[in-house]
Every structure is written in structure tokens, then in C-alpha cells.
């Protein structure tokens, strides 16, 4: 019966027919807990629930859908033009899915009059139509969580107030993200490398609601007017399911990996300096990988609409110019000596200024930057010695008369 009613609901949306809620209808905000199985699930999820037992409706309105089958999906995603959409599904299917993955489910029943419920429901119904369902996704400012307070403000305007005084922290967007990635160090590292200075903006209390947990808290501290009387926006809260304790997944931390990398580079560099000969294979691999990464970071900044990827200071160690240097290894021009001196100095300055940079660079990168600086200095030192030896040999050549 519920699925038939839901189908009717979808059809009525397409036909511009208005579906009337009964006086027993409830509209709720759902908050689903995080799951450490993937980076994008580590932050949790939010959705609306419309429950009307009289009409047999129990539907979840979810702003977090995206269509892999949409033409050019992956290209649009790479360009920062990824469109998400609002979808409607049977609530029980949602509940079973999140319980299966041991993700908590909190429900906040909204304190709305029947007219207000109908108004909100009509908006959601309109928004779910194919011509209205899609929106341009943004990690932090327009996602499945931010849509909920945005919709409430669109529908009810100034009659709704979100009290921001309960936020007592002064986190940046990056620091808020870090809170949810403690058990995903590689995901945390990837985000810290790929996204630049815009992530280090101090978040306003309203902007905290790009995270589902803060949507829940935001609604807890919101009010709405009923015929001139201000009342809490949330009437009651229900814990539908609480996550069971689970051990965090085992992961080799990037700090360990990069520390081992530094030790290896240090050993190779010591041997190279002692024998005055470069291990070119090591440098080709190292600086090619860094150059490709730097090129990708630069393209994310200048060639896509990923606003959070702009002004990325990780380009100070992942330089796209490393690719040119690697190609230049073929002929070994004299400017390579000065190039690697600049890289070594830049790496040293980056390490010294690390705590004071406007962009928070991931601490696990410190041994990697040390390795880059050491290898660049080794390149400079051996190349300089080779030039000096060559000059000495020229001076010592006998003069033929």
C-alpha cells in the first residue's frame, strides 16, 4: 500500500496535482550516522521524512542522489560541475539500509501546524519533479545536509530562526572536516592535499551545517512562529537506532609511510654523495610522481569549478615544473643545478614556516617534504661537484704547442 501511495505521490507531482496531508501527518528531519567504509560516508547523511498514516505515506526525501548513468558524469565531476538531485524513496528501505551498516538514525519531528506541514510538503513535492530535482553540488555550501535548513528558510522565511549562540568553537571548514576523518587518515590526507586555502576559512555557525550532526544540532536550537507565538522548531526527538561499538579499521598511517620514504631517500642520498654519482632512477620516479600530482592540483585550481581547490599551497612541494626537470635529465642542462637548489631552499623554507602558513598542510607530509628537500640538495651538490671537476679538468689539460 505504501509503495502504491508513493507512486501516486510521484505521479501527482508530475501532473501538478496537490496531495493533501491528513491531520495525523508528521514531517521530520532524519540524521544518519557516519560509516568508515568510504570517505564520503564518513560525515553522515541528512534527509526529510514525511509520514502520514492516514494516507499510507512514509517517504524519505533525500537530496544526496547522483546519477552515474547521466551523460558525461565523470567528466562533469572532474570539472566541478556535478549535479545532485532530490529523490523520494520508501522510508523503511532507508531505515533498513542504515541499520545494516550500523549507522545511527535520529529523527526530529518538526513542530509545524497542519498548514505549515502542507506548505513544506508541497515544496518538497515540487522540488522532486524531474525539472526541479537537480542542483549544482558543492562540498561545503550546497550538499545533502545544507539543503535541509535551506529548504526550511525558503518555505518559512523569517518566521524561522536558527540560534547560533550554541556554537562556541571557532573551527575552519578544514578542521570541521578533520573531526570526521580520524579513522581515515588517507582520506583526510587526500582532502588536505587536493583542497586549498578556501578550506581554511573560519566557518560561521550556520556554515557548520554542511555536516549532518550540526544540522541536527541546528534544528535543536531553532524556533518557528505559530500565529505570532515563537515555539521550538523541533517538537520531539526519537532515536530510531543507535550504532553499536565497532573497532576502528586498521590502516597504515601515511606518516609511517612517508617516514619510511624519508629514511630510504636519506640512505640513497648518503650513498650518492659518498660516491659522487646520482641514482637517477630514484629521482625520475620521485619527481615524476610529484610533477604529475602538482599538475593535477594546478588544473583543479585553474581549469575546474572546484572552488575549494583554489590557491593550494601544496604546490610549493608538488611542483608541476618537476616534470620539465625530469625530461631535462636526458641532456642534463646546466640550469638543473640552480633548479634543484631552488627546490631545496623552498622545501627548507616550507618546513620552517609550516606552523604559520595560512593553509593548514597535513602533518604527515613533513617527512615527505624533508625527503624532497634532501633529494633536491643532493642533486644540486653532485651537479655542482661535477661542474667543478669538469672545470678543473679543463684547466689541467696540457697545452699542445
Amino acid at each position: 500500500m505504501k509503495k502504491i501511495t508513493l507512486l501516486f505521490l510521484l505521479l501527482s507531482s508530475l501532473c501538478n496535482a496537490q496531495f493533501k496531508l491528513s491531520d495525523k501527518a508528521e514531517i521530520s528531519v532524519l540524521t544518519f550516522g557516519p560509516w568508515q567504509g568510504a570517505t564520503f560516508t564518513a560525515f553522515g547523511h541528512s534527509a526529510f521524512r514525511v509520514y502520514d498514516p492516514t494516507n499510507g505515506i512514509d517517504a524519505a526525501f533525500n537530496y544526496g542522489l547522483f546519477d552515474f548513468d547521466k551523460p558525461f558524469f565523470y567528466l562533469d565531476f572532474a570539472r566541478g560541475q556535478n549535479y545532485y538531485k532530490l529523490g523520494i524513496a520508501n522510508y523503511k528501505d532507508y531505515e533498513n539500509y542504515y541499520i545494516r551498516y550500523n549507522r545511527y538514525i535520529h529523527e526530529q519531528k518538526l513542530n509545524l501546524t497542519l498548514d505549515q506541514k502542507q506548505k513544506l510538503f508541497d515544496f518538497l513535492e515540487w522540488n522532486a519533479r524531474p525539472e526541479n530535482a537537480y542542483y549544482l553540488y558543492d562540498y561545503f555550501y550546497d550538499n545533502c545536509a545544507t539543503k535541509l535548513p535551506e529548504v526550511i528558510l525558503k518555505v518559512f522565511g523569517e518566521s524561522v530562526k536558527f540560534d547560533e549562540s550554541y556554537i562556541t568553537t571557532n573551527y575552519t571548514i578544514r578542521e570541521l572536516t578533520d573531526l570526521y576523518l580520524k579513522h581515515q587518515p588517507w582520506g583526510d590526507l587526500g582532502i588536505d592535499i587536493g583542497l586549498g586555502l578556501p578550506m581554511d576559512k573560519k566557518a560561521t555557525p550556520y556554515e557548520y551545517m554542511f555536516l549532518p550532526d550540526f544540522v541536527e544540532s541546528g534544528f535543536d536550537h531553532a524556533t518557528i512562529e505559530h500565529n505570532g507565538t515563537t515555539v521550538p522548531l523541533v517538537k520531539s526527538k526519537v532515536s530510531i537506532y543507535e550504532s553499536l561499538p565497532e573497532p576502528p579499521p586498521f590502516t597504515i598511517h601515511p606518516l609511517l609511510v612517508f617516514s619510511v620514504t624519508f629514511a630510504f631517500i636519506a640512505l640513497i642520498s648518503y650513498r650518492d654523495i659518498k660516491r659522487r654519482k646520482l641514482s637517477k632512477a630514484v629521482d625520475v620516479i620521485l619527481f615524476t610522481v610529484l610533477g604529475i600530482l602538482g599538475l593535477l592540483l594546478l588544473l583543479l585550481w585553474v581549469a575546474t569549478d572546484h572552488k575549494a581547490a583554489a590557491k593550494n599551497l601544496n604546490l610549493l612541494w608538488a611542483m608541476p615544473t618537476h616534470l620539465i626537470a625530469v625530461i631535462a635529465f636526458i641532456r642534463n642542462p646546466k640550469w638543473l643545478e640552480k633548479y634543484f637548489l631552488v627546490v631545496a631552499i623552498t622545501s627548507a623554507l616550507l618546513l620552517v614556516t609550516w606552523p604559520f602558513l595560512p593553509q593548514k598542510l597535513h602533518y604527515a607530509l613533513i617527512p615527505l617534504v624533508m625527503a624532497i628537500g634532501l633529494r633536491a640538495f643532493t642533486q644540486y651538490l653532485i651537479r655542482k661537484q661535477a661542474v667543478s671537476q669538469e672545470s678543473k679538468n679543463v684547466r689541467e689539460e696540457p697545452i699542445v704547442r
Side-chain angles (χ1 to χ4, degrees):
M1 177 63 183
K2 290 180 180 178
K3 290 185 178 179
I4 294 173
T5 307
L6 185 58
L7 178 60
F8 172 77
L9 177 65
L10 290 169
L11 292 174
S12 69
S13 298
L14 293 172
C15 297
N16 295 322
Q18 191 176 56
F19 193 95
K20 289 292 185 182
L21 296 175
S22 75
D23 57 1
K24 293 186 178 180
E26 296 281 0
I27 299 183
S28 309
V29 168
L30 299 170
T31 303
F32 304 97
W35 179 56
Q36 299 302 325
T39 301
F40 71 92
T41 62
F43 305 100
H45 186 50
S46 299
F48 283 113
R49 179 186 183 184
V50 177
Y51 176 62
D52 188 346
T54 300
N55 288 309
I57 297 172
D58 196 358
F61 286 77
N62 170 26
Y63 281 92
L65 297 181
F66 49 90
D67 188 359
F68 283 112
D69 296 326
K70 191 179 179 190
F72 308 111
F73 172 83
Y74 292 101
L75 177 61
D76 288 342
F77 184 83
R79 294 166 57 198
Q81 297 178 3
N82 193 27
Y83 283 85
Y84 276 44
K85 67 177 181 178
L86 170 61
I88 307 175
N90 188 309
Y91 165 72
K92 274 298 177 183
D93 292 339
Y94 259 61
E95 181 180 297
N96 293 335
Y97 172 84
Y98 284 96
I99 290 175
R100 185 163 68 249
Y101 284 94
N102 192 33
R103 300 174 67 174
Y104 64 72
I105 306 173
H106 297 164
E107 181 179 19
Q108 296 165 290
K109 296 182 180 181
L110 299 183
N111 193 6
L112 305 176
T113 65
L114 181 57
D115 287 341
Q116 288 172 330
K117 292 173 188 176
Q118 187 67 50
K119 190 176 181 181
L120 177 54
F121 175 73
D122 289 345
F123 179 87
L124 292 172
E125 187 184 24
W126 168 86
N127 204 177
R129 296 174 190 170
E131 66 271 23
N132 304 324
Y134 288 90
Y135 67 97
L136 185 60
Y137 177 84
D138 184 278
Y139 312 115
F140 309 114
Y141 302 108
D142 207 354
N143 64 26
C144 60
T146 65
K147 279 295 180 187
L148 273 66
E150 178 188 316
V151 165
I152 292 296
L153 291 172
K154 276 185 179 178
V155 174
F156 301 119
E158 294 183 358
S159 64
V160 170
K161 303 290 183 186
F162 284 93
D163 181 9
E164 300 176 347
S165 62
Y166 80 98
I167 296 288
T168 57
T169 54
N170 196 28
Y171 288 131
T172 64
I173 298 289
R174 191 185 304 275
E175 288 167 341
L176 284 168
T177 303
D178 290 344
L179 294 176
Y180 290 80
L181 293 172
K182 293 178 181 178
H183 300 302
Q184 293 199 43
W186 288 101
D188 184 33
L189 176 66
I191 289 174
D192 279 349
I193 290 176
L195 303 182
L197 270 172
M199 268 196 80
D200 294 275
K201 168 189 177 295
K202 294 292 182 183
T204 66
Y206 184 85
E207 288 170 345
Y208 274 52
M209 287 194 286
F210 81 89
L211 294 164
D213 283 345
F214 287 101
V215 171
E216 182 178 357
S217 299
F219 274 79
D220 279 340
H221 293 84
T223 58
I224 189 169
E225 289 186 9
H226 285 178
N227 301 317
T229 303
T230 301
V231 297
L233 181 56
V234 174
K235 178 174 57 178
S236 62
K237 290 184 68 172
V238 179
S239 175
I240 295 174
Y241 175 76
E242 288 297 332
S243 304
L244 300 175
E246 288 184 343
F250 173 75
T251 306
I252 298 176
H253 201 281
L255 180 62
L256 175 61
V257 173
F258 292 142
S259 296
V260 171
T261 300
F262 171 71
F264 173 74
I265 291 293
L267 183 64
I268 294 294
S269 298
Y270 173 76
R271 189 191 69 168
D272 287 356
I273 291 172
K274 196 169 183 181
R275 65 182 185 146
R276 297 188 176 186
K277 185 178 180 181
L278 290 167
S279 299
K280 286 190 176 180
V282 172
D283 293 321
V284 167
I285 294 171
L286 176 64
F287 290 105
T288 297
V289 171
L290 293 172
I292 292 173
L293 175 60
L295 183 60
L296 291 174
L297 296 181
L298 183 62
L299 289 174
L300 277 174
W301 175 0
V302 303
T304 74
D305 292 334
H306 292 287
K307 297 177 183 177
K311 303 175 184 177
N312 195 336
L313 297 188
N314 284 294
L315 285 164
L316 292 174
W317 58 268
M319 300 178 183
T321 52
H322 291 332
L323 290 174
I324 300 173
V326 170
I327 295 171
F329 284 169
I330 298 171
R331 294 195 174 184
N332 284 321
K334 291 183 178 180
W335 58 261
L336 279 175
E337 176 190 327
K338 293 181 179 179
Y339 175 81
F340 282 110
L341 177 60
V342 170
V343 173
I345 293 173
T346 302
S347 299
L349 290 174
L350 184 58
L351 290 168
V352 170
T353 59
W354 199 280
F356 313 107
L357 294 171
Q359 178 179 331
K360 183 181 177 182
L361 302 184
H362 200 287
Y363 66 92
L365 294 170
I366 291 175
L368 177 61
V369 175
M370 291 170 60
I372 295 167
L374 177 58
R375 198 60 205 164
F377 181 73
T378 303
Q379 276 272 351
Y380 163 72
L381 188 63
I382 294 178
R383 288 179 182 278
K384 184 179 180 182
Q385 289 173 346
V387 171
S388 299
Q389 185 62 44
E390 185 179 329
S391 299
K392 182 180 179 182
N393 291 341
V394 169
R395 288 196 303 270
E396 291 178 354
E397 284 182 3
I399 301 176
V400 179
R401 296 183 182 274

